[in-house]
Amino acid sequence: LTCQTRLFMMATTLFQFVMLLVVIDSKQYGDNVAYGCSGGACLATSHAFKSPINESEIDYESTSPSEILEYHFHVYFFQDNSVSVNAAKYIQTQLISAVTNHEFLVVLNGIDDTILPDLNASIVPDFNMQPIGPHPCGSFEVWVPKQYFVETLSWFMINRGYLSILLHPLTPNEAEDHFGRAMWLGQPYRIDLTVLVADDGHIRGSEYPELKLGYDYNVDSIYAPQNWLYSSNQN
């Protein structure tokens, strides 16, 4: 072997050894780097355990409110498929129309202070044409308080078409909300738990406290069902 060949082989071996050390150091568990995890993905599994689960390690009750009062519906679509995108935009348009007509009340992209005068529209999420957060494809978020949950769920069951809908509650435990407490309308997707936390340490308030619904419910709110539903048709 030539001197250059030997040096190349030595450099290659050294590089492989360094990479092996990096892989070993970065592993979270197991003998295969493919089983590594981070964030909320380290707190949930879809596999069976070799031994009984230690119940003291399962923590969902301590981060649960006495009652769940707010939820998210996430409408999933294939962002590179125009038919799927148009289906999602149709659902978006129909939801905005339902809120405008006071059939029920939800918040999503396209709802602003011309429809809900007290709404802080600056924090309403976008219509996402790419994966974002834990969501693996195009999506948009629909916030609903308990006061309008039944009407909204019924609406989605009837009108979602072939699109999949992720439904989860809002509590301090994001990982549990998106995994153990989540429900699906249509085909489930695998979501990215690594970006979620188990408990942010805060007592949850309403996502839109200015509406005085959900966790900040006030019976005198103009958006409470007895004041909002079909009120536009009574003038």
Side-chain angles (χ1 to χ4, degrees), residues 193-226:
L193 296 176
T194 64
V195 300
L196 304 175
V197 297
D199 182 4
D200 62 10
H202 294 87
I203 298 175
R204 186 163 195 106
S206 177
E207 189 161 351
Y208 299 98
E210 65 273 15
L211 301 181
K212 300 179 181 178
L213 296 170
Y215 287 113
D216 290 327
Y217 179 65
N218 185 323
V219 69
D220 295 323
S221 169
I222 63 171
Y223 305 106
Q226 68 274 15

Side-chain angles (χ1 to χ4, degrees), residues 7-212:
L7 287 174
F8 176 78
M9 292 177 64
M10 290 174 62
T12 301
T13 301
L14 179 61
F15 174 78
Q16 291 175 338
F17 178 70
V18 171
M19 289 304 296
L20 178 62
L21 290 178
V22 171
V23 167
I24 292 175
D25 184 60
S26 66
K27 283 193 294 185
Q28 299 288 335
Y29 54 86
D31 296 323
N32 190 325
V33 69
Y35 295 141
C37 68
S38 64
C42 298
L43 307 174
T45 180
S46 58
H47 295 284
F49 284 75
K50 291 183 179 179
S51 57
I53 298 172
N54 183 347
E55 292 187 5
S56 67
E57 293 296 316
I58 303 176
D59 181 24
Y60 51 86
E61 292 184 354
S62 66
T63 57
S64 300
S66 59
E67 183 179 5
I68 293 172
L69 301 179
E70 297 183 16
Y71 302 81
H72 280 170
F73 289 83
H74 294 275
V75 179
Y76 280 14
F77 57 90
F78 299 125
Q79 66 271 15
D80 296 323
N81 182 318
S82 61
V83 174
S84 185
V85 173
N86 288 338
K89 288 184 175 179
Y90 176 78
I91 289 177
Q92 178 193 30
T93 299
Q94 294 303 302
L95 283 168
I96 294 171
S97 177
V99 177
T100 302
N101 293 330
H102 292 226
E103 297 173 23
F104 51 80
L105 192 153
V106 297
V107 176
L108 68 150
N109 181 260
I111 298 292
D112 57 26
D113 55 11
T114 66
I115 300 173
L116 303 178
D118 297 302
L119 178 68
N120 179 6
S122 67
I123 66 171
V124 177
D126 294 332
F127 186 100
N128 301 303
M129 288 297 294
Q130 65 282 317
I132 187 171
H135 310 295
C137 61
S139 67
F140 69 89
E141 174 187 295
V142 180
W143 171 86
V144 58
K146 173 193 172 182
Q147 291 76 28
Y148 296 100
F149 178 76
V150 173
E151 292 88 348
T152 306
L153 178 60
S154 175
W155 191 95
F156 270 111
M157 286 181 169
I158 295 170
N159 294 285
R160 71 173 181 86
Y162 67 87
L163 298 184
S164 292
I165 314 295
L166 168 63
L167 164 62
H168 69 82
L170 297 177
T171 80
N173 193 331
E174 290 183 348
E176 181 67 13
D177 287 349
H178 288 76
F179 187 78
R181 297 176 178 139
M183 303 174 67
W184 288 89
L185 299 177
Q187 184 69 30
Y189 285 56
R190 180 177 177 177
I191 66 173
D192 182 6
L193 296 176
T194 64
V195 300
L196 304 175
V197 297
D199 182 4
D200 62 10
H202 294 87
I203 298 175
R204 186 163 195 106
S206 177
E207 189 161 351
Y208 299 98
E210 65 273 15
L211 301 181
K212 300 179 181 178

